[in-house]
Amino acid sequence: MIDQTQGGKSNLKSRVTFHGAARMVTGTMHLVEVAGRRILLDCGSIATGKMEDNKPPEPFPFDPTSLDAVVLTHSHHDHCGRLASLVRDGYDGPIFTHATNVELLEVLLRDSARVQEREASMARHRGGKNIEPRFDTADAELTIDLCESVDYGESVTIGDDIELTLRDAGHILGSSMATIGWRQNERDRKLTFTGDLGRSGIDFHPPPAALPVSDYLICESTYGGELHDSVEVMAQKTGLAIRRAVREGGKILIPAFSLGRTQMVVHFLQTWMQEGIVPPLDIHVDSPLGHKFAKVYDRHPEGFSVPLRIFDDIDWLENRDDAMDASLSPGSRIVIASGGMLEGGRILQHLKHHVDDPRCTLLMVSFQAPGTLGEKALQENDSIHFGGKRWNKWLAVEQVRGFSGHADHNDFLRAVAPLEGKTSKVMLVHGDVERAEKLAKAFATKNLGKIDMPELGQTIELD
């Protein structure tokens, strides 16, 4: 690597500016400026999960054409949701990401563009206000064309002076942590970004790769101070909730995000049915996008620590008529549908038919952000408002923690152990203030240098 402090470039500063996921769990977007180059780590959407917050995003706080490269850790909306908009606004450089993630990104961007174009067309036909898609199919295809695949452990150069290495983050299929290396003041420097770090103790994805020794660490903190349920506890809680619904003859509704959570839940339900923990029932999945992602999962057995069970005896529903037939058929059955926080998605149509049926169970398997319909459903109220009206909430509502693809508090402590005494600065992101503070307090006892919790828009200098 070329030493950028030589040859008249000694005034170049190394720094990171946090344009998202700062003291909140959404919108990851970190601008790294080192060796005279500008590298964007992820380009996610900022969203609260509330349906009423469907407003156009703010303009980018930097010139997209000024970027030298983008590094994409994975294809969840809060990490890639504005990527095609970045391209629409003029970015035309490389997007470095894992090869498998490119396949998932293709599915996501094409589907999102199609939905936006359809909604804009419907708005025009209704004579309402003109809705401009955040990006269209042409933008999606151009974004896909800009992707450059990087294998785990492979190093690529950005220009002649920066080295990028991706490692398996263990969060979802194709997820990565990224390490950027450069030379400054006649010394090699490294910065590692965890992306979303996977959890341990669950046989699904392989465990995350070891964090490399780095001068600087940008670390997610989603579950700082929190511990996940073990797989055994998850199985027990799920089995109890489903058996109760079966005794009553009711349906089991499971809202799940299309990428990652849906596939994981299907796999474990199949596994627990085979083990006799969960009673054998028909499983219907009302998530066409989740089905497309599942096909990518099925093509990549190397991305999993066990053989996947996501297609055998599973009814993947493609149209709304089939979904309603499954939902309204007599007898107990499991319906998994898109809309992990009940904020939109196909789950709402099923909920309308069963929310006032005390025989049924709503099984929550995802984090429920404050103020979302999912969080309100967990409250002990006998009614709930959605779809323009108030409904009697007579079905049982249960929550199973542990399906998360994120590291918990102990996972973080194990992950940073090799960095103790070798890192000068840790920057905690992708966590609400309370959880980030708990992780910061624990990290402060581990000889990890200065611990920062950057605010939105804050720039931190890399000494």
Side-chain angles (χ1 to χ4, degrees):
M1 290 179 287
I2 298 171
D3 190 337
Q4 289 297 301
T5 62
Q6 308 301 314
K9 295 189 178 181
S10 60
N11 290 327
L12 293 176
K13 290 183 178 290
S14 297
R15 57 193 180 187
V16 184
T17 304
F18 298 87
H19 294 299
R23 302 193 176 209
M24 58 182 176
V25 190
T26 185
T28 300
M29 192 185 306
H30 311 313
L31 180 58
V32 177
E33 297 176 84
V34 297
R37 299 189 183 276
R38 294 162 61 85
I39 303 166
L40 192 66
L41 301 177
D42 286 341
C43 192
S45 300
I46 293 180
T48 64
K50 299 180 183 179
M51 288 181 280
E52 64 268 23
D53 287 342
N54 186 25
K55 60 182 181 181
E58 297 291 328
F60 286 103
F62 50 82
D63 179 2
T65 65
S66 71
L67 300 175
D68 294 288
V70 173
V71 179
L72 178 63
T73 62
H74 65 286
S75 286
H76 277 150
H77 275 287
D78 61 329
H79 290 258
C80 73
R82 297 193 69 188
L83 189 57
S85 298
L86 188 79
V87 173
R88 184 184 182 100
D89 287 356
Y91 177 71
D92 61 358
I95 300 169
F96 295 105
T97 193
H98 190 265
T100 307
N101 190 51
V102 176
E103 296 181 47
L104 296 169
L105 186 66
E106 289 175 358
V107 172
L108 180 66
L109 291 184
R110 288 168 180 161
D111 182 83
S112 183
R114 177 183 58 80
V115 169
Q116 291 180 71
E117 290 168 343
R118 183 183 64 202
E119 290 179 347
S121 176
M122 291 174 61
R124 287 193 296 270
H125 286 305
R126 290 194 298 262
K129 65 179 181 179
N130 186 40
I131 298 177
E132 183 71 20
R134 290 178 290 111
F135 61 88
D136 58 22
T137 298
D139 300 318
E141 294 302 326
L142 181 54
T143 303
I144 294 165
D145 288 343
L146 292 175
C147 289
E148 296 191 14
S149 299
V150 182
D151 290 333
Y152 294 138
E154 177 187 2
S155 294
V156 298
T157 57
I158 300 174
D160 296 323
D161 32 51
I162 295 176
E163 187 175 82
L164 168 69
T165 306
L166 300 184
R167 293 174 175 83
D168 191 349
H171 173 60
I172 62 170
L173 182 65
S175 63
S176 302
M177 59 182 83
T179 299
I180 294 171
W182 72 101
R183 191 165 181 81
Q184 181 175 313
N185 296 328
E186 299 184 351
R187 178 170 162 256
D188 290 337
R189 307 290 180 104
K190 284 186 179 180
L191 177 148
T192 292
F193 172 42
T194 63
D196 282 356
L197 198 62
R199 66 162 294 186
S200 64
I202 187 167
D203 280 337
F204 193 64
H205 293 293
L211 284 172
V213 173
S214 303
D215 302 277
Y216 315 103
L217 177 67
I218 301 176
C219 182
E220 70 123 317
S221 56
T222 312
Y223 284 96
E226 303 284 336
L227 299 179
H228 295 314
D229 284 343
S230 67
V231 175
E232 292 75 20
V233 172
M234 291 163 56
Q236 181 185 39
K237 289 182 177 179
T238 302
L240 287 173
I242 292 177
R243 288 183 185 279
R244 176 261 170 201
V246 171
R247 285 196 304 271
E248 300 291 333
K251 304 292 189 301
I252 300 94
L253 306 182
I254 304 179
F257 299 112
S258 297
L259 175 56
R261 194 60 49 87
T262 290
Q263 296 77 25
M264 180 182 282
V265 170
V266 169
H267 170 81
F268 278 101
L269 285 175
Q270 288 278 71
T271 299
W272 295 334
M273 284 182 186
Q274 188 176 71
E275 295 173 351
I277 300 171
V278 170
L281 291 175
D282 290 339
I283 300 176
H284 308 274
V285 185
D286 188 11
S287 176
L289 182 58
H291 191 195
K292 292 177 183 178
F293 287 137
K295 292 176 181 178
V296 179
Y297 271 52
D298 196 47
R299 292 198 297 268
H300 291 280
E302 75 282 358
F304 303 91
S305 56
V306 292
L308 280 187
R309 295 170 175 165
I310 59 174
F311 282 107
D312 295 343
D313 300 320
I314 301 296
D315 182 18
W316 291 90
L317 304 167
E318 295 298 331
N319 61 68
R320 294 185 184 276
D321 289 341
D322 289 344
M324 285 301 99
D325 285 345
S327 191
L328 300 177
S329 295
S332 295
R333 59 193 63 235
I334 297 170
V335 178
I336 303 169
S338 58
M341 294 185 189
L342 303 183
E343 294 292 320
R346 292 196 170 195
I347 189 64
L348 293 179
Q349 292 303 316
H350 299 281
L351 192 60
K352 287 178 181 179
H353 290 286
H354 301 294
V355 66
D356 59 354
D357 187 343
R359 300 173 301 167
C360 296
T361 294
L362 179 65
L363 187 60
M364 311 297 279
V365 296
S366 302
F367 171 76
Q368 304 301 317
T372 60
L373 186 61
E375 189 258 349
K376 293 173 183 175
L378 288 169
Q379 298 172 2
E380 294 184 2
N381 299 321
D382 58 6
S383 67
I384 190 168
H385 188 276
F386 68 95
K389 62 177 287 187
R390 182 160 290 279
W391 307 76
N392 291 322
K393 191 189 76 175
W394 292 341
L395 84 173
V397 183
E398 305 289 346
Q399 186 173 33
V400 177
R401 304 178 187 273
F403 282 104
S404 175
H406 286 271
D408 69 9
H409 190 81
N410 287 342
D411 291 327
F412 285 125
L413 297 184
R414 284 189 290 267
V416 300
L419 278 60
E420 293 183 21
K422 301 172 184 177
T423 296
S424 63
K425 192 184 297 288
V426 176
M427 294 151 276
L428 295 178
V429 296
H430 203 285
D432 62 35
V433 173
E434 180 181 358
R435 291 181 177 182
E437 285 179 341
K438 289 179 179 178
L439 192 59
K441 185 176 180 180
F443 278 7
T445 68
K446 300 297 180 181
N447 193 18
L448 295 169
K450 189 174 188 299
I451 313 296
D452 282 310
M453 292 172 45
E455 298 183 1
L456 189 64
Q458 181 179 350
T459 297
I460 292 181
E461 304 290 337
L462 305 179
D463 302 327

